[in-house]
Amino acid sequence: MKMTTEEAFVKTLQMHGIDNAFGIIGSAMMPISDIFPDAGITFWDCAHEGSAGMMADGFTRATGKMSMMIAQNGPGITNFVTAVKTAYWNHTPCLLVTPQAANKTIGQGGFQEMEQMNLFADCVAYQEEVRDPSRIAETLNRVIMQAKRASAPAQINVPRDFWTQVIDIDLPEIVAFERPSGGEVAIAKAAKLLSNAKFPVILNGAGVVLAQGGIEASKLLAERLSAPVCVGYQHNDAFPGGHPLFAGPLGYNGSKAGMELIAKADVVLALGTRLNPFSTLPGYGMDYWPADAKIIQVDINPDRIGLTKKVSVGIVGDATKVATALLENLFGTAGDEGREDRKATIGETKSKWAQQLSGMDHEDDDPGTSWNERARADKPDWMSPRMAWRAIQSALPANAIISSDIGNNCAIGNAYPSFDEGRKYLAPGLFGPCGYGLPAIVGAKIGCRDVPVVGFAGDGAFGISVNELTAIGRGEWPAVTQVVFRNYQWGAEKRNSTLWFDDNFVGTELDEDVSYAGIAQSCGLQGVIARNMDELTAALNKAIDDQMNHGKTTLIEAMINQELGEPFRRDAMKKPVSVAGISKDDMRPQTV
């Protein structure tokens, strides 16, 4: 049938149910954005494309539904790079639409020209450029299907002079693949290892959250084995937090109980996880990864099996299907050996950690350093980061979706939140972009209007996305709640400076005259300052009520002292030494 290229494009989006797009308007995309309203597609015009991409990531992670990133060719598209790479490592199937400079002028160094395919080659699971206007629907359909199959962003590049052309095409068919369930031999070998294990431990990753029914399947397997279940770094929602077998997150500022329990394992089932190195780094002074344990790794992507850890059995498959198959193939005596002792150990270890965590008010200094001691003395009446997190936990609804950001105070909070179900914890992931907390929670709220949402960010990271306050106050945007930890510093890097650079704080200090609550108020939003635990709990309770019952967005500045937790990169840094020496006297004036 005859149609325009933009009609073919939008009809293909409709076939796949993609009804939300995030970006900034531009002339190169206006032929399709013009018909978005008629198609039932909402375009969310953000303040910056980087935040728009993170909104798309948050929307899809919270709902499981694909969304689209789109903006003007050239500089609009380049602003998506950080967000797309973030979505890649978050395993988020987003559609990246990159309008391109016109074919008839590209290569001449024209206005807003950029080689956009090379730009995203390392950021997407699949990319394709439209080669002919008549192939626009075919290409878009394939890109969307590849994003779903890989659970990652995929890119379609469209020369802008391909719009507004009349073509004669048939719309393509959607071909869905059944996800693999693991090979028979691998399942049997893994089931035997688990059946004979004396202390099996399950480690759930993002794949358990992404798989339909993955959490429930892992729960049934864990209960059959009486095996503690840890979760990967920033995947606190990959197992029910109230379950007696839940041991908490591994990795940076995670659960000491989880670390102590997995250290005892003779068999580890790594379910739906690529076992990224950052998730298994030593914590609290413990190098807890069980060096002699048999490792069963399950991942949908075979390229990631055995990439970071020595694996005894690798299984390519969907986490739900593999967990179900393992349960069905266990021996009748599986889990029996030492079951009661194991359950007692799990309970005792969790209880001990819970008591310790509830009493942790302050951060320790490394030997030879005293920053935290000085920070407490400087602001004796201010909350510490851990006090703030305990106050927050008192007010967070059980069904809330939360987002986090990159930064020391958000990382300190990694041990605190737990959830009854998946798709509740939107952390920035292993690409580690600052400025993720606010846009991610906005995207989540757009997709989940009836659920309370709360974003968290340190004041350094929040400064990168603060301009979104100018966008989200408009009437069509849903209300959210954002907490900003205010200590006037880039905490993670300042912590590095205390350990390795003798308190030489280069670029770590923020302007104390800036009020984020004041900026929120000037944008027509509510801005509140909380100076102690009671004020923070009360402010968060009111903000969530205002969000859910009155449609009001609130930003809470939580005023905290400058204590700093564990450094992010203790594994990657060391004390520098001076060899040649550096002197200001060696600086030469430039010649112009």
Side-chain angles (χ1 to χ4, degrees), residues 100-122:
Q100 178 63 282
N103 265 338
K104 63 183 179 182
T105 61
I106 197 165
Q108 296 178 347
F111 184 60
Q112 295 183 323
E113 182 181 319
M114 177 72 195
E115 178 40 72
Q116 295 175 173
M117 293 289 278
N118 287 343
L119 183 69
F120 290 97
D122 189 49

Side-chain angles (χ1 to χ4, degrees), residues 29-302:
M29 55 173 278
M30 291 181 78
I32 59 169
S33 62
D34 176 60
I35 57 177
F36 279 176
D38 291 340
I41 297 172
T42 302
F43 179 68
W44 299 96
D45 48 328
C46 307
H48 190 278
E49 292 90 351
S51 292
M54 292 177 188
M55 287 184 194
D57 183 69
F59 173 91
T60 297
R61 291 179 69 186
T63 65
K65 301 175 182 178
M66 279 188 68
S67 57
M68 177 170 63
M69 309 177 195
I70 185 169
Q72 176 67 4
N73 63 270
I77 296 303
T78 62
N79 282 343
F80 275 135
V81 171
T82 296
V84 175
K85 189 64 176 181
T86 298
Y88 179 83
W89 284 121
N90 285 339
H91 318 290
T92 306
C94 289
L95 172 63
L96 172 64
V97 181
T98 57
Q100 178 63 282
N103 265 338
K104 63 183 179 182
T105 61
I106 197 165
Q108 296 178 347
F111 184 60
Q112 295 183 323
E113 182 181 319
M114 177 72 195
E115 178 40 72
Q116 295 175 173
M117 293 289 278
N118 287 343
L119 183 69
F120 290 97
D122 189 49
C123 302
V124 296
Y126 182 81
Q127 58 180 179
E128 191 169 347
E129 185 170 74
V130 180
R131 298 297 185 184
D132 184 272
S134 67
R135 298 183 63 188
I136 195 164
E138 165 213 334
T139 304
L140 177 58
N141 184 56
R142 184 163 47 249
V143 168
I144 294 171
M145 289 191 297
Q146 291 283 17
K148 291 179 178 178
R149 292 167 187 168
S151 195
Q155 176 193 10
I156 181 170
N157 203 56
V158 187
R160 61 181 296 166
D161 52 351
F162 281 6
W163 301 125
T164 60
Q165 298 194 31
V166 178
I167 55 177
D168 191 356
I169 65 166
D170 292 324
L171 292 176
E173 295 289 332
I174 298 175
V175 180
F177 290 167
E178 186 176 355
R179 287 179 170 263
S181 55
E184 290 183 15
V185 173
I187 291 290
K189 186 176 180 181
K192 182 179 179 180
L193 284 176
L194 289 169
S195 296
N196 292 329
K198 296 179 180 178
F199 205 102
V201 175
I202 298 173
L203 172 56
N204 281 2
V208 176
V209 177
L210 297 174
Q212 187 86 26
I215 294 174
E216 180 63 21
S218 71
K219 184 173 74 129
L220 293 174
L221 182 59
E223 290 171 347
R224 174 70 177 81
L225 294 168
S226 296
V229 181
C230 303
V231 293
Y233 178 64
Q234 297 187 343
H235 296 306
N236 299 37
D237 58 349
F239 200 76
H243 197 284
L245 293 174
F246 181 58
L250 300 181
Y252 185 57
N253 276 316
S255 163
K256 187 181 288 188
M259 297 174 191
E260 290 177 351
L261 288 168
I262 202 169
K264 300 176 185 297
D266 57 344
V267 177
V268 174
L269 171 63
L271 186 61
T273 171
R274 61 190 176 90
L275 288 175
N276 70 79
F278 205 76
S279 280
T280 56
L281 285 176
Y284 307 106
M286 294 186 292
D287 190 1
Y288 54 82
W289 189 256
D292 297 326
K294 301 291 185 183
I295 310 298
I296 304 162
Q297 187 179 1
V298 181
D299 198 293
I300 200 73
N301 186 343

Side-chain angles (χ1 to χ4, degrees), residues 277-358:
F278 205 76
S279 280
T280 56
L281 285 176
Y284 307 106
M286 294 186 292
D287 190 1
Y288 54 82
W289 189 256
D292 297 326
K294 301 291 185 183
I295 310 298
I296 304 162
Q297 187 179 1
V298 181
D299 198 293
I300 200 73
N301 186 343
D303 294 339
R304 292 177 182 153
I305 293 177
L307 187 63
T308 62
K309 300 292 183 186
K310 185 178 179 180
V311 170
S312 300
V313 183
I315 303 176
V316 179
D318 172 89
T320 302
K321 293 183 176 181
V322 172
T324 301
L326 289 172
L327 180 61
E328 292 171 350
N329 282 271
L330 290 176
F331 299 173
T333 57
D336 287 350
E337 184 172 355
R339 187 185 297 273
E340 295 307 316
D341 288 343
R342 189 164 60 251
K343 289 166 66 175
T345 298
I346 295 168
E348 291 166 5
T349 305
K350 287 182 59 176
S351 177
K352 178 182 174 183
W353 168 237
Q355 292 177 28
Q356 186 176 352
L357 186 62
S358 66

Side-chain angles (χ1 to χ4, degrees), residues 320-568:
T320 302
K321 293 183 176 181
V322 172
T324 301
L326 289 172
L327 180 61
E328 292 171 350
N329 282 271
L330 290 176
F331 299 173
T333 57
D336 287 350
E337 184 172 355
R339 187 185 297 273
E340 295 307 316
D341 288 343
R342 189 164 60 251
K343 289 166 66 175
T345 298
I346 295 168
E348 291 166 5
T349 305
K350 287 182 59 176
S351 177
K352 178 182 174 183
W353 168 237
Q355 292 177 28
Q356 186 176 352
L357 186 62
S358 66
M360 290 173 69
D361 282 344
H362 299 289
E363 303 305 308
D364 294 330
D365 283 305
D366 276 57
T369 69
S370 61
W371 175 260
N372 289 328
E373 181 183 350
R374 285 178 279 154
R376 287 191 291 274
D378 184 55
K379 297 284 192 301
D381 298 326
W382 285 33
M383 288 181 287
S384 70
R386 292 189 182 276
M387 291 176 180
W389 273 109
R390 290 212 304 276
I392 288 162
Q393 290 299 108
S394 298
L396 269 181
N399 66 331
I401 299 172
I402 73 169
S403 70
S404 185
D405 216 311
I406 285 294
N408 199 254
N409 291 314
C410 284
I412 287 171
N414 189 44
Y416 292 87
S418 62
F419 308 89
D420 294 331
E421 55 188 322
R423 299 190 180 277
K424 293 291 190 180
Y425 188 37
L426 309 179
L430 269 295
F431 192 56
C434 288
Y436 182 83
L438 175 62
I441 211 63
V442 171
K445 185 66 176 186
I446 288 170
C448 305
R449 299 299 181 100
D450 297 330
V451 179
V453 304
V454 184
F456 297 95
D459 48 6
F462 185 75
I464 292 176
S465 57
V466 65
N467 54 349
E468 291 307 319
L469 296 178
T470 66
I472 65 174
R474 290 170 289 179
E476 66 272 22
W477 290 73
V480 301
T481 301
Q482 175 70 35
V483 176
V484 179
F485 298 110
R486 201 69 167 114
N487 60 3
Y488 305 105
Q489 62 187 357
W490 285 99
E493 303 316 318
K494 197 165 186 177
R495 181 66 158 128
N496 292 338
S497 300
T498 67
L499 290 181
W500 292 289
F501 302 103
D502 299 322
D503 286 1
N504 185 24
F505 300 132
V506 177
T508 61
E509 310 309 295
L510 300 176
D511 189 345
E512 296 188 17
D513 292 327
V514 172
S515 168
Y516 285 138
I519 293 172
Q521 292 168 5
S522 71
C523 294
L525 309 173
Q526 297 186 135
V528 179
I529 296 175
R531 294 179 174 84
N532 57 52
M533 293 176 69
D534 290 340
E535 287 183 3
L536 180 53
T537 298
L540 187 52
N541 275 320
K542 183 178 185 303
I544 292 170
D545 178 66
D546 282 343
Q547 176 195 148
M548 300 304 297
N549 299 315
H550 306 289
K552 295 181 179 180
T553 289
T554 305
L555 182 146
I556 301 171
E557 276 192 287
M559 312 303 290
I560 60 176
N561 67 24
Q562 293 191 323
E563 289 182 65
L564 299 168
E566 273 286 297
F568 274 101

